[in-house]
Amino acid sequence: MADRSSPLAVYVPGASVVHRLPAGAKLLALVAAGAAVLAIASPLAAGIAVATALLGFALARLSLRYAWRGVRPTWIFLIGIFAFQWWSADLSRAVGVVGSIVALLLAATLVSLTTRTSDMIDAIVWLLRPLRRVGVDPDRIALQLALGVRAVPLIAELAETARQAQYARGRRASPRAFAVPLVVRALRRADAMSDALRARGLDD
Amino acid sequence: MTDAPLAPRNRTRDLTQIAVFAGIVAALGVVPAITIPGPGVPITLQTLGVMLAGAVLGSKRGFSAMLLFNVLVLAGLPLLAGGRGGLAVLASPTVGYFIGFPIAAFAVGWLVERFGTPFRLLPGILATVVGGVFVLYVPGIIGVALMAKIGVGAAALSALAFLPGDLAKAVIAALIARGVHKAYPGLISGRRHRRKAAPSPASAPAVDA
Amino acid sequence: MIELHGVSVAFGDGAQLRWVLDDISVVLCEQRIGIIGANGSGKSSLARLLNGLLLPTSGTVSVDGFDTKRDGREVRRRVGFCFTDPDSQIIMPTVGEDVAFGLGRRGLSKAEIAARTADALEQVGLADRADHPAHLLSGGQKQLLALAAVLVTEPSILVLDEPTTLLDLRNSRAIAARIARLPQQVVLVTHDLDLLRTFDRALVVHDGRIHFDGSPSDAIAAYRAAIDADGAL
Amino acid sequence: MIELHGVSVAFGDGAQLRWVLDDISVVLCEQRIGIIGANGSGKSSLARLLNGLLLPTSGTVSVDGFDTKRDGREVRRRVGFCFTDPDSQIIMPTVGEDVAFGLGRRGLSKAEIAARTADALEQVGLADRADHPAHLLSGGQKQLLALAAVLVTEPSILVLDEPTTLLDLRNSRAIAARIARLPQQVVLVTHDLDLLRTFDRALVVHDGRIHFDGSPSDAIAAYRAAIDADGAL
Ligand SMILES: Nc1ncnc2c1ncn2[C@@H]1O[C@H](COP(=O)(O)OP(=O)(O)OP(=O)(O)O)[C@@H](O)[C@H]1O
Ligand SMILES: Nc1ncnc2c1ncn2[C@@H]1O[C@H](COP(=O)(O)OP(=O)(O)OP(=O)(O)O)[C@@H](O)[C@H]1O
Ligand SMILES: O=C(O)CCCC[C@@H]1SC[C@@H]2NC(=O)N[C@@H]21
Ligand SMILES: [Mg+2]
Ligand SMILES: [Mg+2]
């Protein structure tokens, strides 16, 4: 079975200011932060950025454990970037660059933790509305995004059960015996999901 | 096609197939990535998923699957190798490869469609190599050059480290795609091989017996 | 009211063509209709015909006068469908969002969507789980969620394809009780013959044909007889 | 013989840690053992412990003296496992290839593999489907295929996790009859209480503990009582 504590169980219910901010505003702030981070290189600026992000966690009444969980998967990368920057530039720049990436990771994590996926998707759709004129259907995109979010744990679960089934039959995975049935099963799953969608009247 | 009585073109199923392949590429990100010394671009199994998306779903849906994957990553889901996600990706040295994912899937799918149905191994490998390796490396190398502030030549040199692995992935992707098309015919709408006298035993149109 | 006229369904083509349903004509208007039959007899295919998920190879299927081939959208608005496997029916991450999802694109206000969602969750006993991650529910709860997600769209007919197979005694009782109280017309495919006791009518599907059509107790008897006649596996 | 000593299983970590099985000690040596209990009570987790699919967080599980943690391979050679969802067990594209898959890498001749495969398919009534694409079988047929795929490897113990949920009357009877005739020790998880009638022993799992252990009829009574005590959902 898939690891059910995966970071995909993102939303943490709450009623804080951060939770109540409109999803669109949070997304735009994140985009702005992403652009700002590109410009940051000094340790001081990076420190301020990290502190600001952590303040957001405090406002959202989320413990630092959540913040750490947002950064943890990336630490090996951060070390790589740190070493590379130190080697190619200097220590101060390494601190600045890595610090700014950490700040951005924290901000992105904060937005994910305080925003329902459906609100996030609504916001993306709202942002995409101007594209309606060039033939983009925002509702279809919303559905596509929701399905993508759903597919991630679904495939992880399929892969895990497939692994277990092989294990139970006492054989190790070979690409043909593992990947092919897994992809076929994923496609069957797609069929079942599209049937379910159509049954719920969500087709075109 | 086994689903003759279904509506001939099923737009809802396009959506779910695209989603499922975004999920497959995400699942491949769980396999630990090896970061080689250099500008911080990991060796990852996700390129295998990129090639598969194109080779199994074809150009348009393959492209959409990878675009969806990228949007989910940018929206903050930690789906890249090593559990990375969020807009920070755009500031990392891998950004060129990242942006190249949809383009590469499209290229693989486009070639597979040109080569027609049923899917054959050798043209399939050609498609995954050209689309999934060479087409992917162009934006990838440019990205490394820009982000790590090194010359294109040096960046291209750094990509050489990926070549053996990516060629192996291309062959595996084509093998998997062949198996999938055999078990689940009708995914690629490319033209059928015209010569019906083709001696190939694989030319039977329906499910293998 | 659902009408099938000379409906046949084939899968595959060429040498691999297989007829799965064969010249079925039947009018379904009772409130509670059961469909039973052996594995592979064609029950699910028959059920999927009823809301246009599957289109007949020949013949016509219509719901309240709307043909599933021509007016698919009208048909699906009237006919709600629940599948055996609840996992592929879950789309959104949390329970509440998943139920609300079916109400999108209907021009309803946020408040109305919230109210209807809460109501549907209440009906299946999941009211306190609205913010729970949907894929972490137990199998039984997932099946109840799938039912809520269909009920919220207020279909006038419900088609349920083995909705209790994964459930324990208590959960399958809960679903059975819930089905008994539904105001809608219900077409239920099941292997759990006990579920049909209180039904108005039952069809036995055998080898792609309607082998028996009548009261549930007679249908169950006919089904058992057919199996015994075929001999053990 | 299967022995569990002080076995506990937890999922998740940190704040999300959940104990799913709690300090279970039991020796399973009867020929026919049933496991029943509510959805989410821990039955499948218990079953998965028995062939090392799941390793205990604390405590030990051993099969014929082999520890599932240290001698996983020996354990799996002895214990065959059937999952509820037959789809996840189908590995190869056609029915025959899928059954034959379990016989690979054993140094058997092609002829012998073919013979054993044909025999296993015969036993579950799928002999005429050997060349059929496995994923296009009906749900019930898939479950039969899964059973054949396990039987063909000739394990000395069979653990079956709800192997009849998708089956019709005849097929579940056939599987029940087939199970009754098996020379192997069988541990069967099920919601179908009728299946246990002829069993030697039944365990009721409740909330991660063994709530009852004794004869099937007593176990069924204890299970019903526990559900009624908990009240409706
Ligand atoms: N897409 C498909 N392509 C080819 N054959 C199919 C397809 N779907 C179903 N079939 C075949 O049609 C027959 C009837 O299938 P159906 O699912 O309707 O049976 P069922 O009565 O629901 O069985 P069960 O009780 O096992 O669910 C089966 O033999 C099945 O293999
Ligand atoms: N990989 C996992 N991660 C987290 N929780 C899990 C995992 N696997 C099972 N659980 C939880 O453990 C509990 C017991 O699950 P299990 O599958 O053993 O129940 P079960 O008795 O087989 O239920 P059912 O009758 O529905 O099959 C459930 O609450 C389930 O949600
Ligand atoms: O994770 C990312 O941000 C993108 C990773 C890109 C890695 C590239 S893709 C082509 C080449 N082959 C590999 O195995 N890694 C690199
Ligand atoms: Mg069925
Ligand atoms: Mg279980």
Side-chain angles (χ1 to χ4, degrees):
Chain A
M1 219 156 285
D3 173 18
R4 301 200 183 186
S5 60
S6 89
L8 275 180
V10 274
Y11 179 66
V12 178
S16 74
V17 209
V18 189
H19 282 87
R20 289 200 312 267
L21 275 176
K26 283 187 267 191
L27 266 186
L28 287 177
L30 201 54
V31 174
V37 149
L38 282 178
I40 291 181
S42 85
L44 180 66
I48 293 173
V50 170
T52 313
L54 289 177
L55 184 69
F57 275 82
L59 281 177
R61 302 218 166 74
L62 290 169
S63 76
L64 285 183
R65 229 189 19 244
Y66 285 109
W68 169 234
R69 239 187 254 160
V71 182
R72 188 177 53 188
T74 318
W75 71 274
I76 205 162
F77 260 87
L78 295 175
I79 288 178
I81 293 172
F82 189 88
F84 183 73
Q85 289 293 343
W86 194 359
W87 169 75
S88 68
D90 56 49
L91 180 61
S92 140
R93 188 183 156 89
V95 172
V97 168
V98 169
S100 62
I101 294 177
V102 168
L104 193 51
L105 280 173
L106 289 174
T109 308
L110 180 62
V111 173
S112 313
L113 288 171
T114 58
T115 315
R116 275 200 179 79
T117 310
S118 55
D119 290 340
M120 182 92 81
I121 289 172
D122 284 350
I124 293 177
V125 170
W126 182 79
L127 291 171
L128 289 175
R129 268 192 337 191
L131 294 181
R132 197 170 255 159
R133 254 176 263 150
V134 294
V136 174
D137 175 358
D139 284 329
R140 199 169 152 82
I141 290 174
L143 182 53
Q144 181 70 85
L145 287 171
L147 289 171
V149 173
R150 172 73 187 122
V152 172
L154 205 63
I155 299 297
E157 241 170 79
L158 281 187
E160 181 55 20
T161 24
R163 197 189 61 77
Q164 293 202 348
Q166 291 217 350
Y167 180 93
R169 279 161 84 174
R171 296 257 327 242
R172 292 262 140 239
S174 71
R176 172 151 143 91
F178 184 78
V180 173
L182 184 61
V183 175
V184 170
R185 210 167 303 131
L187 288 166
R188 306 285 302 170
R189 212 27 112 91
D191 286 351
M193 285 170 77
S194 88
D195 277 355
L197 280 173
R198 297 204 302 140
R200 279 166 80 174
L202 289 159
D203 58 346
D204 310 284
Chain B
M1 296 265 285
T2 50
D3 54 352
L6 285 175
R9 186 147 168 278
N10 187 334
R11 296 196 3 156
T12 314
R13 191 163 54 169
D14 288 353
L15 292 182
T16 54
Q17 287 178 343
I18 288 164
V20 146
F21 266 81
I24 288 175
V25 177
L28 287 167
V30 175
V31 182
I34 307 156
T35 308
I36 49 165
V41 179
I43 294 181
T44 155
L45 265 190
Q46 287 184 314
T47 47
L48 178 67
V50 175
M51 298 174 196
L52 264 184
V56 171
L57 294 183
S59 57
K60 282 190 191 147
R61 281 170 298 164
F63 175 84
S64 302
M66 293 319 305
L67 187 64
L68 172 62
F69 174 80
N70 282 6
V71 171
L72 294 177
V73 166
L74 292 178
L77 297 187
L79 306 180
L80 281 178
R84 288 164 307 121
L87 295 165
V89 173
L90 294 181
S92 87
T94 64
V95 59
Y97 291 109
F98 178 73
I99 291 174
F101 281 177
I103 304 169
F106 184 92
V108 173
W110 188 84
L111 286 170
V112 164
E113 283 159 3
R114 289 320 102 177
F115 294 139
T117 55
F119 184 95
R120 286 163 304 162
L121 190 58
L122 285 180
I125 292 176
L126 186 62
T128 51
V129 168
V130 171
V133 181
F134 295 121
V135 171
L136 180 59
Y137 280 22
V138 173
I141 289 169
I142 295 174
V144 168
L146 286 177
M147 301 307 293
K149 310 221 159 44
I150 53 178
V152 173
L157 221 55
S158 79
L160 278 182
F162 302 124
L163 200 55
D166 281 344
L167 290 177
K169 285 178 239 169
V171 174
I172 294 172
L175 276 167
I176 296 174
R178 184 180 63 169
V180 171
H181 285 299
K182 209 169 130 187
Y184 195 114
L187 286 162
I188 297 275
S189 53
R191 54 172 66 86
R192 284 209 168 154
H193 299 144
R194 285 281 168 67
R195 268 131 272 167
K196 53 178 178 235
S200 153
S203 62
V207 186
D208 68 307
Chain C
M1 194 177 66
I2 305 177
E3 291 173 82
L4 286 81
H5 289 293
V7 170
S8 300
V9 170
F11 287 113
D13 51 15
Q16 316 227 312
L17 194 79
R18 275 198 56 203
W19 291 94
V20 167
L21 290 174
D22 188 11
D23 192 22
I24 291 188
S25 296
V26 67
V27 176
L28 306 173
C29 50
E30 290 78 5
Q31 272 296 94
R32 297 284 179 269
I33 299 173
I35 299 180
I36 57 180
N39 288 133
S41 56
K43 301 179 299 299
S44 294
S45 306
L46 179 57
R48 293 152 72 85
L49 282 170
L50 306 185
N51 78 335
L53 278 177
L54 186 67
L55 298 175
T57 311
S58 65
T60 59
V61 178
S62 66
V63 175
D64 293 348
F66 292 101
D67 186 297
T68 56
K69 260 190 187 143
R70 274 178 295 117
D71 312 307
R73 183 176 282 218
E74 286 299 322
V75 168
R76 278 191 287 278
R77 182 162 300 169
R78 283 171 172 72
V79 185
F81 199 103
C82 253
F83 299 81
T84 309
D85 174 19
D87 262 312
S88 22
Q89 296 173 73
I90 296 172
I91 297 160
M92 298 296 280
T94 65
V95 171
E97 288 172 272
D98 189 60
V99 172
F101 191 63
L103 295 176
R105 305 197 204 187
R106 296 197 172 199
L108 295 176
S109 74
K110 281 216 166 183
E112 189 155 5
I113 291 181
R116 283 216 213 170
T117 300
D119 184 51
L121 286 175
E122 185 69 47
Q123 291 188 342
V124 300
L126 288 176
D128 57 332
R129 298 291 169 105
D131 277 329
H132 198 80
H135 70 276
L136 293 189
L137 292 175
S138 82
Q141 293 169 327
K142 280 183 191 166
Q143 229 144 7
L144 289 168
L145 169 59
L147 188 62
V150 171
L151 287 177
V152 79
T153 64
E154 302 183 337
S156 58
I157 303 174
L158 266 178
V159 181
L160 311 173
D161 192 355
E162 305 190 40
T164 61
T165 39
L166 302 172
L167 300 187
D168 65 18
L169 216 56
R170 175 168 50 170
N171 282 327
S172 54
R173 272 190 212 162
I175 296 241
R178 179 76 201 106
I179 291 172
R181 284 199 309 272
L182 289 174
Q184 283 96 340
Q185 182 183 10
V186 173
V187 179
L188 172 72
V189 177
T190 187
H191 290 300
D192 183 353
L193 305 178
D194 286 342
L195 278 181
L196 303 183
R197 285 281 141 76
T198 59
F199 273 39
D200 304 315
R201 178 180 175 190
L203 310 179
V204 180
V205 181
H206 192 69
D207 234 352
R209 291 165 175 277
I210 296 192
H211 172 74
F212 183 89
D213 182 353
S215 79
S217 53
D218 292 349
I220 293 170
Y223 174 42
R224 286 190 199 275
I227 285 176
D228 291 338
D230 267 18
L233 197 72
Chain D
M1 193 178 67
I2 306 178
E3 290 172 83
L4 287 81
H5 289 293
V7 169
S8 298
V9 170
F11 288 113
D13 52 15
Q16 319 226 306
L17 193 81
R18 274 199 56 203
W19 291 94
V20 167
L21 289 176
D22 188 9
D23 191 22
I24 292 187
S25 295
V26 67
V27 176
L28 306 174
C29 51
E30 289 78 6
Q31 271 295 96
R32 297 286 178 267
I33 299 173
I35 299 180
I36 58 179
N39 287 133
S41 56
K43 302 179 298 300
S44 295
S45 307
L46 180 57
R48 279 162 197 263
L49 282 170
L50 306 184
N51 78 334
L53 275 177
L54 186 67
L55 297 175
T57 311
S58 65
T60 58
V61 179
S62 66
V63 176
D64 293 348
F66 292 102
D67 186 296
T68 55
K69 262 191 185 142
R70 273 178 295 117
D71 312 307
R73 179 176 285 218
E74 285 301 321
V75 169
R76 267 174 285 137
R77 183 161 300 167
R78 285 171 170 71
V79 185
F81 197 100
C82 249
F83 298 82
T84 309
D85 173 18
D87 258 313
S88 58
Q89 296 172 76
I90 296 173
I91 294 168
M92 302 296 278
T94 66
V95 171
E97 286 173 273
D98 190 60
V99 172
F101 172 78
L103 295 176
R105 310 197 196 177
R106 294 196 172 200
L108 295 176
S109 73
K110 283 215 165 184
E112 189 155 4
I113 290 181
R116 285 216 213 169
T117 300
D119 183 51
L121 286 175
E122 185 70 47
Q123 291 189 342
V124 299
L126 287 175
D128 57 332
R129 296 291 167 108
D131 285 331
H132 199 80
H135 68 272
L136 291 187
L137 292 176
S138 83
Q141 293 167 327
K142 281 182 190 165
Q143 224 143 13
L144 292 167
L145 169 59
L147 187 63
V150 172
L151 286 176
V152 81
T153 64
E154 302 182 336
S156 60
I157 303 174
L158 265 178
V159 180
L160 312 173
D161 192 356
E162 304 188 39
T164 61
T165 40
L166 300 170
L167 299 187
D168 64 20
L169 215 58
R170 173 167 55 170
N171 282 329
S172 53
R173 267 192 215 164
I175 295 239
R178 178 82 197 100
I179 292 172
R181 281 199 311 272
L182 287 175
Q184 283 97 339
Q185 181 184 10
V186 173
V187 179
L188 173 73
V189 177
T190 187
H191 289 301
D192 183 354
L193 306 177
D194 287 343
L195 277 181
L196 303 183
R197 284 281 141 75
T198 60
F199 272 40
D200 304 315
R201 177 181 176 189
L203 311 178
V204 180
V205 181
H206 190 69
D207 234 351
R209 290 165 174 277
I210 295 192
H211 173 75
F212 183 90
D213 182 352
S215 79
S217 53
D218 292 347
I220 293 170
Y223 173 44
R224 284 190 201 275
I227 284 176
D228 290 338
D230 267 17
L233 196 75

